[in-house]
Amino acid sequence: MNIFAAIGGVTLALFRETGRIGIFALNGALSWLTGPFYWRAFASALLRIGFMSLPVVGLTAIFTGAALALNIYDGSARFNAETFLPQILGVSIVRELGPVLAALMLAGRSSSAMAAEIGTMRVTEQIDAMSTLAVDPFKYLITPRILAATIALPLLVLTADIIGIYGGFLVSVYALDFSGAVYIRNLDEFLTNFDVISGLIKAAVFGFLLALMGCYYGYSSAGGAQGVGSATRIAVVTSAVLILSANYLLTSFFVDF
Amino acid sequence: MNEDMNAPTQKIAIRNLCKAFDSNEVLRGVDLDVEKGQSLVVIGGSGTGKSVLIKSILGILHPNRGSIEIDGVDITRLSQRDRRKFTDQVGMLFQGAALFDSLTVWENVAFRLIYAEGKSRKRARERAVDCLSQVGLAPEIGNLSPAELSGGMQKRVGLARAIAADPQILFFDEPTTGLDPIMADVINDLIVERVKALGATAISITHDMASARKIADKVAMLYKGQIIWNGSPKELNNSGNPMVDQFVHGRAEGPIKMEVRRA
């Protein structure tokens, strides 16, 4: 009998949550424009999100590039198009796999860490304590992280692009008997600046999204250890889903460009 | 709602303060006055709304109705920005100390000086060491991380952090909870000493009667979201209020019924 109330309740809750995230996102995107800006917190976020993620992103990239080279070779051999391997691999890495895989790794690594750290600060009253010390917790905890992730991810993806293509190069040259010089020349002639730049724009959007999710769910977590645990889980899942769906939207926009 | 005449000595005046979370009414019309330089202790059982009361005064929670006047200005009607100016003069010791575990002890104490007042790290550090010595901690403690400290030391660091910017109003949320009786007394002494030294107005919430008697100039009892009694600590023993009597003597039987289900 209360089925309408139930549907209405769920719908309202959905809109309420979307609205909250929207306001949080707007604050996160604009809050660095007005002072104060906490440079120290920003530098430490940049170090943790960017620099410390290099090993995991590099490993992801090199193995993906290597496996991709084998798959492209095997597939394109069916219609005698093996010579296009460097071009296909280059486009796949810089336009698609570099940004998406690096962002997914960072969702697992940084988004979860943000949700857990900020969530623990929330439930142990550290965030309340910060506001009694006349420092806006949003500006100290959220703004630096969102900005750092938005800047760090494109840089990480640029690194991942290079390492991924190098992974493909290693396999092509040492396992598939390509000439190294031809591989590099083909790639260089074929890839455009826009291929790379569109990937980096994607990366900036993904970085913003994954930091936003980590911060939002951490900041609004409640209810002790269990609350922090579920905030972390939801942050990672929503980051991944948002990254993948935003990737489709951005790709469809870029291919028409 | 609010048409009281403040005496000029009134630092904080709360009128008909109500706060509900969804359908759960926590504060149901709290009236409370604190004079300048007075130390008020709010006693009451768990879940009677003590923390909600303090967080409303701090501006962390927004009350549904009623007014909170600090120095004659109703802070519930101010914008976030203007309210901050009023809450800038407060310091608070949290129940679990709530130290920032990503920072060292001295950075915790100096947090406000560095990040809100823009002092240099060197000068802020000197002040932090000074505050640590005021709560009986050696300067070397400053280099440790909060996780390396015992509960009593964390509370003292929390107190040092609360007083670092010379606040005019201090809040203490269950300052002695979780401490052994001797350390609890040390904290009580420190609270009395520091509040006096600053000339600050203090509001504490506690259910530790020994602590309440020691630090209070005035005691108020919160029960079911309302102030049911207030008076001096001496009057506690013969308050004439059966509920206060039951609480002060810690009896399970009396007008206050705990919801305990027995098998």
Side-chain angles (χ1 to χ4, degrees):
Chain A
M1 72 228 145
N2 252 333
I3 189 159
F4 293 108
I7 294 170
V10 170
T11 314
L12 283 177
L14 185 71
F15 279 114
R16 205 179 296 134
E17 186 75 354
T18 314
R20 282 198 191 121
I21 294 177
I23 293 168
F24 197 89
L26 201 66
N27 281 336
L30 301 177
S31 58
W32 58 279
L33 294 170
T34 56
F37 186 76
Y38 300 108
W39 286 101
R40 223 182 159 81
F42 173 68
S44 121
L46 205 55
L47 184 76
R48 271 184 298 167
I49 300 167
F51 185 72
M52 310 280 239
S53 301
L54 270 175
V56 71
V57 169
L59 281 171
T60 309
I62 198 155
F63 287 119
T64 306
L68 196 60
L70 289 178
N71 267 326
I72 293 172
Y73 185 84
D74 191 55
S76 55
R78 293 175 202 169
F79 43 96
N80 300 318
E82 301 96 318
T83 45
F84 295 118
L85 189 155
Q87 291 92 323
I88 300 171
L89 183 125
V91 167
S92 313
I93 296 260
V94 301
R95 296 224 311 213
E96 181 77 19
L97 291 173
V100 170
L101 290 180
L104 288 177
M105 293 310 280
L106 242 72
R109 193 184 178 277
S110 297
S111 197
S112 57
M114 288 181 212
E117 190 181 347
I118 297 173
T120 306
M121 290 187 75
R122 167 66 76 198
V123 300
T124 56
E125 297 189 306
Q126 290 179 48
I127 291 180
D128 289 341
M130 199 174 282
S131 57
T132 68
L133 294 167
V135 171
D136 183 349
F138 195 94
K139 292 205 162 217
Y140 185 84
L141 295 172
I142 312 299
T143 309
R145 281 177 169 80
I146 289 183
L147 199 60
T150 311
I151 293 171
L153 203 58
L155 298 175
L156 279 171
V157 166
L158 197 60
T159 320
D161 287 351
I162 296 165
I163 297 175
I165 288 172
Y166 182 64
F169 174 89
L170 286 179
V171 169
S172 308
V173 172
Y174 293 103
L176 304 172
D177 292 329
F178 270 75
S179 144
V182 173
Y183 182 98
I184 289 171
R185 199 186 59 227
N186 282 358
L187 198 62
D188 185 45
E189 281 172 2
F190 180 74
L191 271 189
T192 65
N193 283 342
F194 186 71
D195 289 332
V196 178
I197 290 167
S198 69
L200 300 185
I201 295 172
K202 278 184 179 181
V205 174
F206 299 163
F208 177 79
L209 288 174
L210 71 89
L212 180 71
M213 290 299 111
C215 290
Y216 174 77
Y217 287 106
Y219 206 67
S220 49
S221 73
Q226 203 204 349
V228 175
S230 67
T232 310
R233 174 172 49 79
I234 297 171
V236 175
V237 172
T238 51
S239 302
V241 171
L242 280 179
I243 287 165
L244 294 170
S245 48
N247 179 53
Y248 176 73
L249 286 177
L250 289 169
T251 307
S252 63
F253 175 73
F254 287 138
V255 291
D256 292 340
F257 199 69
Chain B
M1 292 193 290
N2 164 41
E3 63 291 325
D4 64 311
M5 322 109 277
N6 276 336
T9 53
Q10 222 79 292
K11 184 73 181 169
I12 303 170
I14 298 168
R15 292 288 173 273
N16 190 33
L17 193 70
C18 298
K19 174 70 184 173
F21 297 96
D22 296 325
S23 60
N24 178 23
E25 286 181 67
V26 180
L27 299 181
R28 313 173 189 216
V30 171
D31 294 301
L32 204 54
D33 291 298
V34 194
E35 286 167 27
K36 196 169 176 3
Q38 195 176 42
S39 172
L40 169 78
V41 172
V42 180
I43 57 171
S46 311
T48 47
K50 301 193 301 287
S51 293
V52 174
L53 176 63
I54 278 201
K55 286 186 177 169
S56 300
I57 306 173
L58 281 168
I60 295 171
L61 291 175
H62 302 285
N64 303 112
R65 254 177 299 139
S67 66
I68 302 166
E69 293 190 0
I70 296 178
D71 292 327
V73 179
D74 184 357
I75 60 162
T76 60
R77 292 186 200 176
L78 296 177
S79 68
Q80 196 80 19
R81 188 174 290 259
D82 290 334
R83 182 197 290 250
R84 194 148 276 148
K85 278 181 205 141
F86 278 89
T87 46
D88 268 1
Q89 50 170 325
V90 307
M92 171 150 178
L93 173 58
F94 283 81
Q95 188 176 350
L99 301 176
F100 307 127
D101 37 31
S102 57
L103 303 176
T104 62
V105 166
W106 81 262
E107 286 173 318
N108 264 281
V109 177
F111 190 84
R112 179 175 185 152
L113 306 175
I114 298 173
Y115 293 104
E117 296 177 8
K119 285 211 168 59
S120 73
R121 289 176 72 81
K122 188 168 170 289
R123 283 187 54 200
R125 186 175 188 146
E126 285 163 9
R127 173 78 182 132
V129 168
D130 183 37
C131 290
L132 284 173
S133 77
Q134 286 176 24
V135 297
L137 293 173
E140 303 85 74
I141 303 285
N143 296 322
L144 299 177
S145 92
E148 295 174 85
L149 305 180
S150 69
M153 279 164 117
Q154 289 188 355
K155 281 272 165 85
R156 283 196 268 171
V157 173
L159 178 60
R161 183 175 70 179
I163 61 174
D166 297 324
Q168 295 175 33
I169 306 172
L170 275 164
F171 294 92
F172 301 101
D173 184 359
E174 314 243 350
T176 55
T177 300
L179 301 178
D180 68 75
I182 299 172
M183 183 50 78
D185 204 46
V186 169
I187 297 287
N188 288 335
D189 283 339
L190 279 172
I191 287 176
V192 172
E193 185 189 310
R194 287 298 109 209
V195 170
K196 286 261 149 56
L198 284 168
T201 307
I203 299 183
S204 317
I205 52 182
T206 188
H207 45 235
D208 174 358
M209 291 315 298
S211 172
R213 285 175 209 277
K214 190 140 193 176
I215 62 185
D217 298 325
K218 175 179 165 182
V219 181
M221 175 146 168
L222 193 62
Y223 179 65
K224 288 196 169 166
Q226 283 177 323
I227 300 290
I228 54 163
W229 180 85
N230 70 70
S232 74
K234 283 192 191 110
E235 293 168 316
L236 268 177
N237 288 334
N238 37 25
S239 60
N241 184 317
M243 287 191 258
V244 176
D245 237 30
Q246 185 193 352
F247 191 85
V248 167
H249 296 103
R251 296 192 204 101
E253 302 300 323
I256 302 175
K257 299 278 181 250
M258 289 287 163
E259 280 153 27
V260 181
R261 199 184 272 180
R262 291 179 199 282

